[in-house]
Amino acid sequence: PGCLVENIQRTFLLPADLASKYATVVFMANCKFETGKKRLNYLTFHDFHICAEQMIDSWTAGAEGELHTAANVDTDVDRLFLQELKEVRGVIESDIDTQRILACQYLQQRISTHPFNVLDVHFKQLNKSLLKMSESLVHKTELKDFFSDLEEKFMEPCRQWEYGAEEMAHFVNAMLESAKQLEQLTRRRR
């Protein structure tokens, strides 16, 4: 039991960096993520490694200080977490206009007028794509297509609209912040 990286490091006597990379392979294989699709050919192992590290830290049953069990050592995505993702859609869709306003307020303070106007126009489409993806992750078959779906439903449209990495980082942060604020507003209303 314990952290996957630490177990690999201890068992195979590997340096931390190499054990972390090996943990990426183990995690992605366990989740059966499809990475060989043509639309994903431009991604490197480093790209998948960064994503897998974030997923292990935030999406697994051992995330956020929970106790690791022998059957669940940073390799299985937490089903309760995925169920909560599915439920988020209902909360956000019930008040999508408020979330858009909150997200736009966040964006106005951080990016120039032109990218802001473009992001504002596409907000609902991008939001809907992300929410549909989060809802479908509950099904193991959908989880395996996570990277492909993210590329097709989120990244490709963003490239077509010529969004840069900085605008996308701000957009994702705006989505997170507006969702938190929306949750607080919903609690106050109750």
Side-chain angles (χ1 to χ4, degrees):
C3 174
L4 180 61
V5 175
E6 291 170 6
N7 285 342
I8 290 170
Q9 193 175 4
R10 197 173 37 253
T11 303
F12 298 103
L13 304 174
L14 296 174
D17 183 51
L18 188 55
S20 176
K21 290 175 181 174
Y22 193 88
T24 293
V25 173
V26 171
F27 174 74
M28 293 187 67
N30 184 62
C31 292
K32 298 182 174 112
F33 286 119
E34 298 258 345
T35 59
K37 296 205 173 176
K38 188 175 183 178
R39 70 169 46 110
L40 301 175
N41 282 347
Y42 73 96
L43 295 171
T44 65
F45 176 79
H46 181 72
D47 296 327
F48 288 116
H49 176 63
I50 290 170
C51 291
E53 279 185 319
Q54 294 302 312
M55 291 171 159
I56 290 168
D57 289 346
S58 303
W59 292 19
T60 62
E64 298 181 21
E66 294 179 23
L67 291 175
H68 295 269
T69 64
N72 213 0
V73 186
D74 285 339
T75 58
D76 291 322
V77 176
D78 185 359
R79 289 285 167 215
L80 180 60
F81 167 75
L82 294 178
Q83 186 61 40
E84 289 171 355
L85 273 181
K86 182 177 180 177
E87 293 166 6
V88 164
R89 181 177 182 183
V91 172
I92 290 177
E93 280 190 342
S94 67
D95 215 348
I96 187 91
D97 291 325
T98 303
Q99 189 201 15
R100 188 186 65 75
I101 291 166
L102 293 169
C104 288
Q105 287 172 347
Y106 178 93
L107 288 169
Q108 275 181 320
Q109 299 168 6
R110 288 163 178 82
I111 60 177
S112 65
T113 307
H114 174 66
F116 167 76
N117 291 337
V118 175
L119 282 171
D120 185 26
V121 168
H122 298 115
F123 177 84
K124 283 188 178 179
Q125 181 180 348
L126 291 174
N127 189 29
K128 186 176 182 179
S129 293
L130 290 175
L131 290 173
K132 277 187 170 182
M133 282 181 56
S134 68
E135 180 181 44
S136 69
L137 290 177
V138 173
H139 308 291
K140 193 79 167 173
T141 57
E142 296 295 326
L143 186 61
K144 74 179 180 70
D145 291 328
F146 174 76
F147 292 106
S148 182
D149 288 348
L150 185 63
E151 172 63 27
E152 177 187 353
K153 297 172 183 169
F154 191 76
M155 299 307 298
E156 283 179 10
C158 290
R159 272 195 294 280
Q160 289 173 356
W161 300 323
E162 299 179 358
Y163 294 168
E166 184 178 348
E167 288 91 10
M168 292 317 306
H170 286 306
F171 177 80
V172 171
N173 287 330
M175 293 291 294
L176 293 171
E177 285 302 313
S178 63
K180 288 176 189 175
Q181 291 174 342
L182 188 60
E183 182 181 18
Q184 291 170 353
L185 288 172
T186 304
R187 284 185 192 158
R188 285 186 210 146
R189 290 179 192 158
R190 289 181 191 168

